[in-house]
Amino acid sequence: MKDKIISKAGDLFLKLGFKSVTMDDIAGEMCISKKTIYKYFCNKELLIEESTAQIHKEIHTIIDQIISKNYNAIEENFEIRKMFKEMFKLADASPIYQMKKHYPKIYEKVISREIEECNAIFKQNIIKGIKNGLYRKEINITNYIKFYYTLVFSIREEISSEKEGQEIELDILEYHTRAMATAIGITELEKQLQNYYH
């Protein structure tokens, strides 16, 4: 039952936002009493922490599956981008924005965990892209990782609309890729941008 509550809460939080969803909403959606939820979670904050940890796990499992498919580095980033677009397509309000605004302590925890995991993924992607000849050999990998996550996280947390956030993240990905790409990489980027919209 605890896992079912975490899963349902996670779905609702992503769709409607962390602030908007109440314990009553979750209980109503699951046809259980609020008392049942409180048996496992003494407050909403604890439920948010557990459900974001679960969402984090699910996202990184999907990312690992995408990476294992052995796409080229640029295609891999676009496949990950598509996964986020699909996952958050029902959300109006940006979950990241809401969490930062209403649950800053939980947000800090989530972000420090995300940055650590994302850095490892970005690094692996850049190394792969250099090997593929899609990214320039001479780039400073550490700095480019920093540039990318600073852009993604600092801009993302300021945008309340999920749709606008998704559009900006795609622009950031294009900006990031163009900054690193070789001529072959630019051709691949143009192909991916074309595919993304069709």
Side-chain angles (χ1 to χ4, degrees):
M1 178 53 85
K2 184 181 180 181
D3 290 343
K4 282 181 182 164
I5 295 168
I6 289 170
S7 176
K8 177 52 77 181
D11 288 348
L12 291 172
F13 290 144
L14 288 185
K15 200 158 96 184
L16 305 168
F18 291 100
K19 180 74 176 151
S20 322
V21 175
T22 64
M23 296 299 233
D24 283 317
D25 295 332
I26 298 162
E29 278 282 321
M30 295 185 74
C31 302
I32 58 173
S33 72
K34 205 158 65 165
K35 208 168 137 190
T36 307
I37 297 175
Y38 282 112
K39 196 169 109 183
Y40 299 100
F41 305 97
C42 59
N43 57 39
K44 186 178 167 184
E45 284 76 6
L46 195 61
L47 182 51
I48 289 173
E49 279 195 45
E50 296 236 10
S51 63
T52 51
Q54 184 56 40
I55 292 162
H56 170 86
K57 226 162 83 182
E58 285 166 20
I59 286 172
H60 287 280
T61 301
I62 298 169
I63 289 174
D64 288 344
Q65 287 166 358
I66 291 169
I67 290 169
S68 74
K69 290 187 177 163
N70 229 352
Y71 293 111
N72 72 55
I74 294 173
E75 192 175 11
E76 181 178 278
N77 279 338
F78 274 86
E79 288 300 317
I80 291 170
R81 184 80 253 109
K82 283 178 198 164
M83 177 266 296
F84 279 113
K85 185 182 177 189
E86 187 58 32
M87 196 167 192
F88 294 98
K89 70 177 180 201
L90 297 173
D92 285 332
S94 163
I96 293 173
Y97 176 85
Q98 274 212 358
M99 188 188 289
K100 186 183 184 206
K101 191 173 175 195
H102 302 291
Y103 302 97
K105 281 192 180 128
I106 300 172
Y107 173 80
E108 289 306 324
K109 261 192 215 171
V110 167
I111 285 303
S112 63
R113 185 177 57 204
E114 280 306 322
I115 285 176
E116 209 172 291
E117 294 241 5
C118 288
N119 281 356
I121 293 164
F122 298 160
K123 184 177 183 177
Q124 164 271 322
N125 179 268
I126 294 172
I127 291 166
K128 183 191 216 175
I130 291 169
K131 271 188 198 151
N132 293 159
L134 297 172
Y135 302 150
R136 293 176 289 111
K137 282 189 185 75
E138 72 280 3
I139 64 173
N140 181 320
I141 295 174
T142 309
N143 284 346
Y144 274 71
I145 291 168
K146 217 176 281 180
F147 298 156
Y148 191 45
Y149 83 66
T150 301
L151 274 174
V152 170
F153 289 107
S154 64
I155 291 176
R156 203 61 165 91
E157 67 193 22
E158 299 302 321
I159 294 169
S160 60
S161 155
E162 181 58 30
K163 188 175 184 289
E164 189 188 339
Q166 292 278 349
E167 285 165 8
I168 285 178
E169 273 190 40
L170 183 62
D171 285 342
I172 292 169
L173 176 57
E174 181 183 352
Y175 181 83
H176 172 69
T177 308
R178 281 192 194 280
M180 297 189 296
T182 58
I184 302 163
I186 296 287
T187 305
E188 179 61 28
L189 170 65
E190 298 295 347
K191 186 177 115 187
Q192 291 305 321
L193 284 167
Q194 204 88 64
N195 294 344
Y196 190 86
Y197 290 112
H198 296 104

